[in-house]
Amino acid sequence: MKRTKINRLLEAEAPQDQVLVKGWVRTRRASKGFSFLELNDGSCLKSIQIIADKSLENYGEIERITTGSALSVTGALVESPAKGQAFEIQASEVAILSLAPEDYPLQKKRHSDEFLRSIAHLRPRTNKYGACFRIRSELSFAIHKFYREKGFKYLNTPVITGSDCEGAGEMFRVTSLDPDLVSKQGRMDFTRDFFGQEANLTVSGQLSAEMFALALGDVYTFGPTFRAENSNTARHCAEFWMLEPEMAFCDLEENMDHGEELLKYLIGHITEHCSQDLELFTKFVDKNLAGVLDTLKTSLYSRITYHEAVEILQKSGKEFEYKVENGTDLQSEHERFLAEEYFKKPVFLTDYPKTIKPFYMRMNDDNETVAAVDLLVPRIGELIGGSQREERLDMLEQRMDQMNLPRESYWWYLDSRRFGTVPHSGFGMGFERLIMLVTGITNIRDVIPFPRTPGSINF
Amino acid sequence: MKRTKINRLLEAEAPQDQVLVKGWVRTRRASKGFSFLELNDGSCLKSIQIIADKSLENYGEIERITTGSALSVTGALVESPAKGQAFEIQASEVAILSLAPEDYPLQKKRHSDEFLRSIAHLRPRTNKYGACFRIRSELSFAIHKFYREKGFKYLNTPVITGSDCEGAGEMFRVTSLDPDLVSKQGRMDFTRDFFGQEANLTVSGQLSAEMFALALGDVYTFGPTFRAENSNTARHCAEFWMLEPEMAFCDLEENMDHGEELLKYLIGHITEHCSQDLELFTKFVDKNLAGVLDTLKTSLYSRITYHEAVEILQKSGKEFEYKVENGTDLQSEHERFLAEEYFKKPVFLTDYPKTIKPFYMRMNDDNETVAAVDLLVPRIGELIGGSQREERLDMLEQRMDQMNLPRESYWWYLDSRRFGTVPHSGFGMGFERLIMLVTGITNIRDVIPFPRTPGSINF
């Protein structure tokens, strides 16, 4: 007999004479010759109730079933008299696959996120983390679906790279040099390393994606990216996933249109497909979650320039930890004030000073600002960072010279401006920030299966 | 006016008075006051023909348009009298976005794969590589679609890891130690490194995925994996993508059923959705491609044991470079012989000697072989490698002790066998090998956007 997953059973249209279900016991309670077992198989938030009575051959064993034990249950799917569940299973056979010992850490009670982080290999078995990782999975799928419907091609840009996209930034080094050899030589001799030169973990697939956008038109990357920043905050991990669309024949306005359309689509998709899991977050994590998601989905996102934003912040009368000054980067507190308190919805900031942005962004006619764009959202701050790219070879070379970037290292990137250059744009969206946004979870460590942070590489 | 992509125009149901199209010129030829421009925008293999006549204001400029130049064209979509194309565009306006200089490397002629590898940033602009990377994108999507339909959850396992899944294997080291500091200290002091210990690039997400399978039921990872093997072959890259499904309540037979269903689905999907691009490979790369794909899609895959395979190979009378001996790993030539010549279709090999397989595979009752499975396919050899996992704590610990693997490093992995352990299985499929299989491309460097191999980290 084929096993049926619990989400299917709970959605069944009618009772069934015989079903086979497998899963893990969340709780067991006994009552005069009956055992009520809540069985969960991870297919959905809800468990199914199994009713085992003492007529079962192994009822003695069933009475010893503990939380976390694994069962294979055959029985009839019947309508449930209990509230909140349409069906339950009258067991005709309960096979115990394994009994969890009494020291199983996930006994029925609430555990702190900190504790659960220390058992990240077990936390997806809890309601909250199960829900979180199902939502993460569904959001990934929604991203691929959105882009395929729009005719974008998915691209895998390299993780190991010889170039540094941002022209700076702290990168991890990748090496196959033997530490013993390094000790003997007293130094790291990269000419003898795997690639014959220094190699790093990518901080962005953008430059590679641009090459493909100028060939296939619309492309996107979606993969792991890395920052070796030694900062222990709730918003930063050393390893995280980033979505980066890159579009040929696309200017800054269209770039914003695209970002707004994307975010609305993703919110729409998960409110449709993850309602049960989202409810958990509304109930236990953020009472306002539904309102936040509705604003993201239905509001018209604001669009202002960096300079206008600075003016709003300076006139706000708000006491910020960091002073707002023209020409400096906005801090998270400023970004959140704009989105949360001032606009009360997502807002695009454009045309940042060139001095605080990378070399590849398109120079505006004022020669002072560039065609950059950040999307700020309530509770998160920056969700999207992008730009129209500098497609004019002479302007790009000039900018690289000013920033002391060696042209020869970027020969292939410059080639794309020599041969068939066209206006093009793109952005990066931190995937974990998106998950935090839609669940209300406030620590990035809790939306990644196994987070990597300074000093922490467990599991 | 909104731009329409060329694949949509070529599939149009009727002529249209005015369309806007943007792309790059593949060729231009002139004939008595007319210019015929083949314009491609990467949305599909085919280009659309633009007819520009001398009545256009800038016809003088149009006559100087070179291969690789970028255009924005407005005009009427009309039925084409030419063979092989339903529609063409009678241009009313041809705006030149950029003119490619005469030294544009992709002039109309066939280029060698070796040459195109040296300009990997431009090769997706060719017919062959455009087709290859569109197929790659569509295969990715098909994988996500297949798994979502089956209720699997997508999981992002960490790229940076402190553990070594295979218990051996050559791994890249990840470090943020300053090489100057290393020189000063004369050694690499990992206690002062980013994670406070040695860190590597993952060779497999399996162990992490098992943790999630034992929580969410059915999961899969699909992401970059790494091998620091200094081998320059047409089948190995230092960085490649791997699909790894992991299924709770699944034995070796069901694991094979799953692999067979997956591969058939993927082949079916791309023959349906990539027919134009696949045709190119049938025409120019492998005349037998359609037959190969049909066999993959419709045949019943064979299933034999490793020992049966060894017997077949030994009795084959075939001269192999490497001798076939019981208890040793099969070589690529052996694997290909079995799939290509003997069975002439995919074949699963099961129950390998424990001595040549990793610690986590389930021990068979003979205590000599393990519940391993490889899928061998024509032209590629091993496409899938997997196993039923050892779910019995005592057996697993015994095996780890025998192989001198420290239990304490795997405490979290062993936990999963302490708490709610169940039979489970999974496998890994090299994504690039799959693309080689369906396109007939024989060098892995040519199915990855920017390949990483020993001594090579360009772009």
Side-chain angles (χ1 to χ4, degrees):
Chain A
M1 190 178 189
K2 230 178 117 74
R3 161 192 172 220
T4 309
K5 289 188 184 173
I6 290 171
N7 63 337
R8 294 272 169 252
L9 291 177
L10 292 175
E11 290 163 4
E13 282 173 14
Q16 294 173 41
D17 288 347
Q18 205 184 27
V19 296
L20 170 63
V21 64
K22 299 183 182 186
W24 295 272
V25 174
R26 285 293 170 84
T27 60
R28 185 182 67 83
R29 61 192 172 81
S31 155
K32 310 178 210 127
F34 288 96
S35 273
F36 299 91
L37 299 148
E38 291 292 325
L39 199 72
N40 189 287
D41 66 2
S43 64
C44 62
L45 183 67
K46 288 189 176 151
S47 301
I48 195 160
Q49 178 162 280
I50 311 286
I51 298 165
D53 68 36
K54 62 179 176 204
S55 69
L56 290 171
E57 204 186 353
N58 61 341
Y59 192 72
E61 284 173 42
I62 290 170
E63 286 192 302
R64 288 194 295 275
I65 289 174
T66 47
T67 293
S69 297
L71 307 182
S72 172
V73 176
T74 312
L77 186 74
V78 298
E79 277 170 26
S80 175
K83 250 180 100 172
Q85 55 188 26
F87 293 101
E88 59 189 26
I89 293 174
Q90 291 278 3
S92 54
E93 194 192 326
V94 175
I96 299 169
L97 302 178
S98 67
L99 279 180
E102 298 289 344
D103 65 344
Y104 179 53
L106 297 174
Q107 298 301 323
K108 192 175 170 66
K109 63 164 194 158
R110 282 193 79 172
H111 301 279
S112 73
D113 291 324
E114 289 73 20
F115 170 70
L116 292 172
R117 240 170 262 153
S118 75
I119 50 166
H121 60 306
L122 300 176
R123 68 178 176 173
R125 303 180 183 194
T126 65
N127 281 341
K128 178 174 168 183
Y129 288 91
C132 171
F133 292 118
R134 278 189 297 270
I135 290 172
R136 183 179 172 119
S137 171
E138 193 61 27
L139 272 174
S140 275
F141 182 75
I143 285 171
H144 289 297
K145 184 160 177 279
F146 173 79
Y147 280 111
R148 182 161 179 279
E149 284 168 4
K150 295 184 80 71
F152 282 56
K153 307 304 169 197
Y154 180 43
L155 172 71
N156 300 132
T157 50
V159 166
I160 306 178
T161 172
S163 69
D164 172 352
C165 173
E166 304 283 329
E170 299 186 64
M171 302 177 87
F172 285 104
R173 176 168 286 109
V174 176
T175 174
S176 68
L177 287 174
D178 179 351
D180 289 339
L181 182 75
V182 170
S183 296
K184 223 185 222 162
Q185 296 197 317
R187 67 195 177 87
M188 298 174 79
D189 179 0
F190 295 114
T191 62
R192 295 176 68 168
D193 208 343
F194 190 89
F195 297 107
Q197 63 164 87
E198 288 193 43
N200 301 306
L201 289 183
T202 186
V203 296
S204 161
Q206 177 199 318
L207 303 195
S208 306
E210 284 185 58
M211 300 305 102
F212 272 67
L214 296 172
L216 303 182
D218 292 329
V219 300
Y220 69 108
T221 75
F222 184 31
T225 35
F226 306 85
R227 299 284 151 85
E229 275 163 33
N230 205 344
S231 59
N232 258 306
T233 82
R235 294 156 29 97
H236 294 91
C237 268
E239 176 177 341
F240 57 99
W241 276 60
M242 188 146 68
L243 166 68
E244 297 180 276
E246 190 71 35
M247 297 157 280
F249 313 110
C250 175
D251 64 19
L252 194 66
E253 280 300 315
E254 293 164 317
N255 203 11
M256 286 188 272
D257 293 345
H258 179 79
E260 186 165 342
E261 186 186 349
L262 168 70
L263 192 52
K264 287 177 171 173
Y265 180 96
L266 297 179
I267 304 293
H269 182 96
I270 60 148
T271 47
E272 186 184 337
H273 294 281
C274 303
S275 55
Q276 201 181 97
D277 287 324
L278 283 173
E279 247 172 59
L280 176 143
F281 290 99
T282 306
K283 210 164 156 187
F284 296 113
V285 177
D286 180 353
K287 299 261 179 278
N288 297 319
L289 193 59
V292 171
L293 297 183
D294 193 58
T295 302
L296 289 167
K297 204 168 68 177
T298 60
S299 68
L300 188 68
Y301 298 2
S302 296
R303 299 182 183 194
I304 61 169
T305 66
Y306 164 88
H307 283 296
E308 290 166 338
V310 166
E311 215 163 289
I312 290 169
L313 289 163
Q314 286 174 337
K315 287 186 183 160
S316 69
K318 182 107 180 169
E319 285 282 334
F320 293 111
E321 192 183 338
Y322 293 89
K323 211 181 140 194
V324 180
E325 275 178 298
N326 228 323
T328 61
D329 234 344
L330 298 184
Q331 301 294 320
S332 182
E333 56 175 341
H334 309 139
E335 295 174 340
R336 291 187 57 175
F337 170 81
L338 289 168
E340 266 168 49
E341 297 183 45
Y342 191 86
F343 287 102
K344 295 187 170 59
K345 62 180 182 176
V347 51
F348 287 106
L349 262 56
T350 61
D351 305 297
Y352 283 72
K354 66 180 179 187
T355 47
I356 56 171
K357 289 290 179 184
F359 75 96
Y360 51 72
M361 296 192 174
R362 194 177 197 276
M363 189 63 67
N364 287 332
D365 291 342
D366 62 12
N367 210 25
E368 286 300 327
T369 60
V370 289
V373 60
D374 282 0
L375 175 64
L376 315 181
V377 297
R379 295 191 316 187
I380 301 292
E382 183 195 328
L383 178 67
I384 281 175
S387 67
Q388 182 169 343
R389 318 310 187 184
E390 182 58 81
E391 88 280 13
R392 297 160 297 185
L393 180 63
D394 53 344
M395 299 292 281
L396 186 61
E397 288 183 332
Q398 199 180 309
R399 192 107 174 83
M400 289 176 71
D401 292 348
Q402 284 167 3
M403 295 173 79
N404 291 318
L405 294 170
R407 290 190 195 182
E408 54 282 10
S409 307
Y410 293 86
W411 67 271
W412 52 276
Y413 188 69
L414 292 169
D415 255 10
S416 67
R417 274 57 170 177
R418 271 185 207 108
F419 306 125
T421 188
V422 301
H424 62 288
S425 299
F427 59 75
M429 181 176 76
F431 186 50
E432 281 75 20
R433 291 202 179 168
L434 175 68
I435 304 169
M436 291 164 74
L437 177 67
V438 303
T439 57
I441 291 176
T442 52
N443 195 315
I444 192 171
R445 290 167 181 79
D446 299 334
V447 298
I448 301 186
F450 299 99
R452 269 59 179 119
T453 52
S456 172
I457 193 177
N458 296 317
F459 312 106
Chain B
M1 189 178 190
K2 232 178 116 75
R3 161 192 171 220
T4 309
K5 289 188 184 174
I6 290 169
N7 63 336
R8 294 273 169 252
L9 292 177
L10 292 175
E11 289 163 3
E13 282 173 14
Q16 294 173 40
D17 286 347
Q18 206 183 25
V19 296
L20 171 64
V21 64
K22 298 182 183 188
W24 295 272
V25 174
R26 287 291 171 86
T27 58
R28 185 184 66 82
R29 62 193 171 81
S31 155
K32 312 179 210 129
F34 289 95
S35 273
F36 298 92
L37 298 149
E38 291 291 326
L39 199 72
N40 190 288
D41 66 2
S43 62
C44 61
L45 183 67
K46 287 191 178 152
S47 301
I48 195 160
Q49 178 161 282
I50 312 286
I51 298 165
D53 68 36
K54 63 179 175 201
S55 69
L56 291 170
E57 205 185 354
N58 61 340
Y59 192 70
E61 283 174 41
I62 291 171
E63 286 191 303
R64 288 193 295 276
I65 289 173
T66 48
T67 293
S69 296
L71 307 181
S72 171
V73 176
T74 312
L77 186 73
V78 298
E79 277 169 24
S80 175
K83 252 179 100 170
Q85 55 188 28
F87 293 102
E88 59 189 26
I89 293 174
Q90 290 279 3
S92 54
E93 195 191 327
V94 175
I96 298 169
L97 301 177
S98 67
L99 279 180
E102 298 290 343
D103 65 344
Y104 180 53
L106 296 174
Q107 298 302 323
K108 192 175 171 66
K109 63 164 193 158
R110 285 194 77 172
H111 301 280
S112 74
D113 291 324
E114 290 73 18
F115 170 70
L116 291 172
R117 240 171 262 153
S118 75
I119 51 168
H121 59 308
L122 300 176
R123 67 180 177 172
R125 303 182 183 193
T126 66
N127 280 341
K128 178 174 168 183
Y129 288 91
C132 171
F133 292 118
R134 278 189 297 269
I135 290 172
R136 183 179 173 116
S137 171
E138 193 61 27
L139 273 173
S140 275
F141 183 75
I143 285 171
H144 289 297
K145 185 161 178 277
F146 173 78
Y147 280 110
R148 182 161 180 278
E149 283 168 4
K150 295 183 81 73
F152 281 56
K153 307 304 171 198
Y154 180 45
L155 172 71
N156 300 131
T157 50
V159 166
I160 305 177
T161 173
S163 68
D164 172 352
C165 174
E166 303 283 330
E170 300 186 62
M171 300 178 88
F172 285 105
R173 175 167 288 109
V174 176
T175 174
S176 68
L177 288 174
D178 180 350
D180 289 339
L181 182 76
V182 171
S183 296
K184 224 185 217 160
Q185 296 197 315
R187 66 194 179 88
M188 296 174 81
D189 179 1
F190 295 114
T191 62
R192 295 175 69 168
D193 209 344
F194 191 89
F195 297 106
Q197 64 163 87
E198 288 193 43
N200 301 305
L201 289 183
T202 186
V203 296
S204 162
Q206 179 200 316
L207 303 195
S208 307
E210 285 186 56
M211 301 305 102
F212 272 66
L214 296 172
L216 303 182
D218 292 329
V219 300
Y220 69 107
T221 75
F222 184 31
T225 35
F226 306 85
R227 299 284 152 86
E229 276 164 33
N230 204 344
S231 60
N232 257 305
T233 82
R235 293 157 30 99
H236 294 91
C237 267
E239 176 178 341
F240 56 98
W241 276 60
M242 187 143 73
L243 166 70
E244 296 180 277
E246 189 71 34
M247 297 158 282
F249 313 108
C250 175
D251 65 18
L252 195 66
E253 279 301 315
E254 293 164 317
N255 203 10
M256 287 188 272
D257 293 345
H258 179 79
E260 186 165 341
E261 186 186 349
L262 167 71
L263 192 52
K264 287 176 172 174
Y265 179 95
L266 297 179
I267 304 293
H269 182 96
I270 60 148
T271 47
E272 186 183 337
H273 294 281
C274 302
S275 54
Q276 202 182 96
D277 286 325
L278 284 173
E279 247 172 58
L280 176 144
F281 290 99
T282 306
K283 209 164 157 188
F284 296 113
V285 176
D286 180 354
K287 299 260 178 276
N288 297 320
L289 192 59
V292 170
L293 297 183
D294 193 59
T295 301
L296 289 167
K297 205 169 66 179
T298 60
S299 68
L300 188 69
Y301 299 2
S302 296
R303 298 181 184 195
I304 61 169
T305 66
Y306 164 88
H307 283 296
E308 290 166 338
V310 166
E311 216 164 287
I312 290 169
L313 289 164
Q314 286 174 337
K315 287 185 182 160
S316 69
K318 182 105 180 170
E319 285 282 335
F320 292 112
E321 193 183 338
Y322 293 89
K323 210 181 141 194
V324 181
E325 275 179 298
N326 230 322
T328 61
D329 233 344
L330 298 185
Q331 300 295 319
S332 183
E333 56 174 341
H334 309 138
E335 296 174 339
R336 292 186 57 175
F337 170 80
L338 289 168
E340 267 168 49
E341 297 183 45
Y342 190 85
F343 288 101
K344 294 187 171 59
K345 63 179 181 177
V347 51
F348 286 105
L349 262 58
T350 62
D351 305 298
Y352 284 72
K354 66 179 178 187
T355 47
I356 57 171
K357 288 291 179 185
F359 74 97
Y360 50 73
M361 296 192 175
R362 193 176 197 277
M363 190 63 68
N364 287 332
D365 291 343
D366 62 13
N367 209 25
E368 286 300 326
T369 59
V370 290
V373 60
D374 283 359
L375 175 64
L376 315 181
V377 297
R379 295 191 315 187
I380 300 292
E382 182 195 329
L383 178 67
I384 281 175
S387 68
Q388 183 169 344
R389 318 309 186 186
E390 181 58 81
E391 88 280 13
R392 298 161 296 185
L393 180 62
D394 53 343
M395 299 292 282
L396 186 61
E397 288 183 332
Q398 198 180 309
R399 190 105 175 85
M400 288 176 69
D401 293 348
Q402 284 167 0
M403 296 174 78
N404 291 316
L405 293 171
R407 290 190 194 181
E408 54 283 10
S409 306
Y410 293 86
W411 67 272
W412 51 275
Y413 188 69
L414 292 169
D415 256 9
S416 67
R417 274 57 172 178
R418 271 187 207 106
F419 307 125
T421 188
V422 301
H424 62 288
S425 300
F427 59 75
M429 180 176 76
F431 186 50
E432 281 76 20
R433 291 201 180 169
L434 175 67
I435 304 169
M436 291 165 74
L437 178 66
V438 303
T439 58
I441 291 175
T442 53
N443 196 315
I444 193 171
R445 292 168 180 79
D446 298 335
V447 298
I448 300 186
F450 299 100
R452 269 60 180 119
T453 52
S456 172
I457 193 179
N458 297 316
F459 312 105

